[in-house]
Amino acid sequence: MRERLIRGALPSVLSVAAALLLCFAAIAVVAASAKVALDAYLAMVWGGLGDLPRFLDGAGVAVLARPWGEAATKAGLLALTGLSVAVAFKAGLFNIGAQGQMILGAIAAAFLGAQLELPALVHPLLCISGAAVAGGLYGLLPAALKLRRGVHEVISTIMLNWIAVSLVENWLVVGPLRARASGDLSISGTDEIAATAQLPRLLGETSRLHAGFLVAVAAAVLLHLWLSRTRLGFETRAVGLAPEAARASGIPVHGRIYQAMALSGALAGMAGALLVLGTEHKFPATIGAPYGFDGIAIALIGQNHPLGVLATALLFGALRAGGTRMQLFGVHKSFPELIQGLALLFVAGRMVWDHLLALSKRKRPAEEAPRA
Amino acid sequence: MLEVLEALLFLAFDYAPALVFASLGAVLSERAGVVNVGVEGMMRAGAFAAAVGALVVPTPLGVVLGMLAGACLGAVHAYLCIRWRSEQVVSGMAINLVALAAGTFLLEALFAPTGTPPIAQLERWSLPLLKEVPIVRAASGHSALTYLALALPLAFHLALWRTAFGLRVRAAGEKPAAAETLGVSVSGVRYACVVGAGLLAGLGGATLSTSTLDRFEHHMPAGLGFMAVAAMVFGRWTPLGAFAASAFFSLGNALRIGVASSAPAVLQVVPQGFLLALPYALTLLVLGLQRRRGAAPAALGVPYDPETR
């Protein structure tokens, strides 16, 4: 078990480490000083994990709680889009459409949050469910196109992403669902959601940590249990690994694929709901950040394992929350995204790692197995 | 009415080349059997390198630098996909993410957050005979890249369907094992095509920053790379088809911009979002209506492993 864990995680760990090193060198070269790079990295770490040095100097608990809130907010979004991509992968589909499914989820949550009047606990739950349904239905489209018409899901989800962006951001948000202007103020985005629909904050007002983070953690654990402990989960993995063998043993392959894509879309939709109910409190003029594409990176660096995805999301959530602190050293706040992209590139070359690891093993004569 | 049409065509002639180059690149790569969803990232690299290059050297040389930058990312994609048989979509998306973040980082570190300083735009050619004729004169007054974009698709069509090299490319994408039996180096052909695709995507990006505009802007190419993939699919993986689709999408975009600026009342009836979504919706529709299997090369996305022949 332990051996398997190490073997599975090692390429990812090495990839992230390589990306961190390469980016360190990039700052050092651009700023012509290793000191700046070191300071920027430290700022990123303390900005993501909580400012321990200042806390120990007696700065109060807020220097810890605020960074945790930022990191957990980002990690929640990354975990859900990462799980979305991962569950589709398990069924053998490459869902590039998490971005579009997330946008539909976000607009559904913003609509339900602003239009309905419900008691505090029920309201956010209903909004999240609505977002999951919207994202899930949108996720069924590429599955149907693939199974009925043979359209590859990579192509169809690219198209569906842009259709979602165009229809939501360039029509709904500036048209039918646009915020009603009050006074002379012109507001962008949709109406603010009701106070009852906002996700409650967990650490008081100093930190933006909200209940959505718990939703993401629960989703990861439940998905892990579902995949590893239930019949449906097993069948889904079988479909992804060997569809013909699965069909031969009586598993309804099409059904499992539809179900996995609905689940994938629903998870991405929930990410949209978290963004709206937890942070933005409305659908902003544009989602801006490509969280859906980040999900691809998170899923693959996490080796498509729900718990691996959660761990990766926590790491990059912290790095990206800390990234804003790097600006003090003249490094753009999107820098952690570069680390993430490079890490994905290195994971994509996972065969290279396997090759290098095999080489280093072969050097030790004791382990040299007789070769056939 | 004539002037409106002329202005529309002029806009389309300016807007189309970037899309044409990038979609031709995508055709080249995918015809050889390597999925290329990294076009967006390669275009971004090309646009950035061309604009930065043009600050120092003459703009045409900057365009060459942009092409080389695209080719570098193409080479990374090729190395991972061909030498290491990586998942091609993953590698492509990784290139997109790296180019997106690296572009932002370098732009911020070297210039301003929104864009590079303006550069000398590529010279616009005024065609002596054309510019006298109404309507047709929309074709005059563009940079050399526009005219290249008109000629290149035909050249690619002839190269792919009338030359030995073209046959090798298509064989590598349809039945690599058979091609290898006949002495074609599948990985050699694939390397050439994927690097060539990077070169073309880089050219497309360079077109944006040196010809369409006169600087690199922080959001470039703003999804045009994905639209190039759509144009390739819409054009059924053929150079002429991709060209027609690119021209059609560009005309649609020119129409949208024209309507938004001169007849905003129309947008009350047909929201802008519908027009923006149209190219993608049409591509999906065409894909959904076609016969099963479609026009994609048979070995597209399958890494070639000589040992499993």
Side-chain angles (χ1 to χ4, degrees):
Chain A
M1 178 66 206
R2 207 159 140 235
E3 175 79 1
R4 251 182 64 205
L5 182 70
I6 292 172
R7 274 239 311 279
L10 201 54
S12 293
V13 174
L14 288 174
S15 297
V16 173
L20 281 168
L21 274 176
L22 196 63
C23 289
F24 186 88
I27 306 184
V29 169
V30 170
S33 141
K35 174 89 172 61
V36 171
L38 189 64
D39 286 341
Y41 262 54
L42 281 178
M44 176 168 70
V45 169
W46 299 136
L49 298 180
D51 202 337
L52 265 183
R54 275 180 60 207
F55 178 69
L56 293 179
D57 284 345
V61 80
V63 294
L64 290 182
R66 193 169 296 134
W68 287 349
E70 299 304 309
T73 308
K74 291 225 158 53
L77 292 174
L78 292 177
L80 283 174
T81 52
L83 290 172
S84 160
V85 177
V87 73
F89 254 123
K90 286 287 181 192
L93 272 79
F94 202 149
N95 179 17
I96 294 195
Q99 184 75 10
Q101 293 144 14
M102 175 182 171
I103 286 177
L104 279 210
I107 194 73
F111 177 74
L112 295 174
Q115 302 299 328
L116 298 180
E117 282 177 33
L118 288 168
L121 264 175
V122 185
H123 203 167
L125 281 179
L126 191 96
C127 291
I128 293 177
S129 314
V133 169
L137 289 176
Y138 208 54
L140 282 176
L141 275 178
L145 279 167
K146 183 187 177 84
L147 297 176
R148 293 173 155 262
R149 311 295 319 173
V151 181
H152 198 281
E153 74 276 7
V154 167
I155 304 278
S156 60
T157 46
I158 288 178
M159 307 300 147
L160 289 168
N161 276 340
W162 291 98
I163 292 174
V165 171
S166 307
L167 290 185
V168 171
E169 293 187 357
N170 295 301
W171 172 46
L172 288 178
V173 174
V174 293
L177 295 183
R178 185 184 188 160
R180 284 153 296 186
S182 56
D184 325 324
L185 290 171
S186 71
I187 320 163
S188 66
T190 61
D191 279 323
E192 288 252 340
I193 57 171
T196 47
Q198 296 181 6
L199 287 167
R201 296 204 169 170
L202 300 178
L203 293 179
E205 276 311 298
T206 50
S207 165
R208 294 208 292 176
L209 181 65
H210 58 74
F213 178 64
L214 302 180
V215 173
V217 174
V221 173
L222 286 177
L223 193 63
H224 171 61
L225 293 176
W226 184 74
L227 281 171
S228 61
R229 297 275 189 278
T230 68
R231 204 184 101 197
L232 283 182
F234 169 77
E235 290 186 356
T236 305
R237 286 185 293 139
V239 167
L241 288 172
E244 283 312 312
R247 199 188 315 273
S249 56
I251 295 173
V253 172
H254 283 200
R256 291 295 90 84
I257 289 180
Y258 275 121
Q259 177 199 313
M261 276 309 287
L263 193 56
S264 171
L267 285 162
M270 282 163 69
L274 251 56
L275 186 70
V276 166
L277 307 177
T279 348
E280 301 283 349
H281 296 159
K282 63 176 180 181
F283 192 102
T286 163
I287 287 280
Y291 286 109
F293 292 126
D294 294 333
I296 299 169
I298 300 297
L300 286 155
I301 299 171
Q303 306 284 357
N304 292 319
H305 188 292
L307 302 181
V309 170
L310 182 63
T312 312
L314 284 174
L315 172 71
F316 281 102
L319 289 185
R320 291 173 70 160
T324 46
R325 300 288 184 89
M326 293 175 105
Q327 279 179 311
L328 297 174
F329 300 92
V331 180
H332 190 257
K333 67 172 186 304
S334 73
F335 194 76
E337 284 154 47
L338 181 57
I339 301 176
Q340 182 188 297
L342 281 172
L344 176 61
L345 195 61
F346 296 144
V347 168
R350 114 157 251 183
M351 303 275 279
V352 186
W353 294 117
D354 291 350
H355 183 70
L356 291 178
L357 291 174
L359 273 187
S360 73
K361 253 198 190 141
R362 212 174 300 156
K363 275 189 192 135
R364 276 174 278 164
E367 288 182 28
E368 195 164 21
R371 313 197 76 194
Chain B
M1 190 59 213
L2 278 184
E3 283 108 60
V4 175
L5 193 62
E6 208 176 286
L8 264 179
L9 280 173
F10 188 87
L11 209 58
F13 269 116
D14 246 13
Y15 181 84
L19 202 54
V20 171
F21 293 136
S23 62
L24 280 182
V27 169
L28 185 62
S29 166
E30 302 221 342
R31 268 289 159 196
V34 180
V35 176
N36 199 342
V37 291
V39 183
E40 176 89 0
M42 296 174 196
M43 282 182 90
R44 186 166 170 86
F48 183 76
V52 175
L55 286 172
V56 191
V57 294
T59 309
L61 271 182
V63 174
V64 174
L65 284 177
M67 294 174 72
L68 290 178
C72 284
L73 287 187
V76 171
H77 187 51
Y79 182 67
L80 285 176
C81 294
I82 300 165
R83 170 68 181 84
W84 294 105
R85 302 199 286 277
S86 295
E87 173 71 58
Q88 297 168 0
V89 181
V90 177
S91 165
M93 291 309 290
I95 282 172
N96 286 341
L97 289 175
V98 168
L100 181 69
T104 313
F105 167 64
L106 288 174
L107 185 65
E108 183 102 344
L110 304 174
F111 308 100
T114 51
T116 59
I119 56 166
Q121 221 170 356
L122 280 183
E123 194 188 338
R124 286 176 175 268
W125 291 359
S126 150
L127 305 182
L129 277 175
L130 282 185
K131 70 177 179 195
E132 307 303 326
V133 195
I135 300 287
V136 184
R137 100 183 120 203
S140 172
H142 304 278
S143 76
L145 293 175
T146 297
Y147 306 108
L148 182 63
L150 289 173
L152 212 52
L154 192 62
F156 262 72
H157 174 76
L158 294 176
L160 270 178
W161 268 273
R162 295 279 183 278
T163 68
F165 179 73
L167 183 63
R168 287 187 190 135
V169 170
R170 286 183 292 129
E174 297 286 348
K175 231 173 177 40
E180 190 94 13
T181 334
L182 295 174
V184 176
S185 158
V186 170
S187 37
V189 167
R190 285 189 171 178
Y191 264 115
C193 289
V194 178
V195 173
L199 216 58
L200 280 163
L203 178 62
T207 309
L208 287 178
S209 61
T210 62
S211 173
T212 316
L213 273 181
D214 63 346
R215 74 189 75 202
F216 175 81
E217 283 192 340
H218 65 109
H219 51 66
M220 263 180 196
L224 215 56
F226 289 114
M227 196 184 256
V229 174
M232 169 198 71
V233 176
F234 200 71
R236 301 179 72 77
W237 283 268
T238 63
L240 294 181
F243 170 74
S246 301
F248 175 60
F249 290 171
S250 307
L251 206 60
N253 192 53
L255 188 66
R256 183 182 59 78
I257 296 172
V259 165
S261 64
S262 61
V266 177
L267 293 183
Q268 300 291 322
V269 189
V270 186
Q272 182 135 251
F274 284 18
L275 299 176
L276 282 168
L278 204 59
Y280 305 107
L282 277 177
T283 308
L284 263 191
L285 196 70
V286 167
L287 281 175
L289 292 179
Q290 75 188 359
R291 295 186 311 275
R292 256 190 109 83
R293 290 270 340 260
L300 183 60
V302 185
Y304 177 62
D305 182 356
E307 288 175 18
T308 59
R309 201 159 17 162

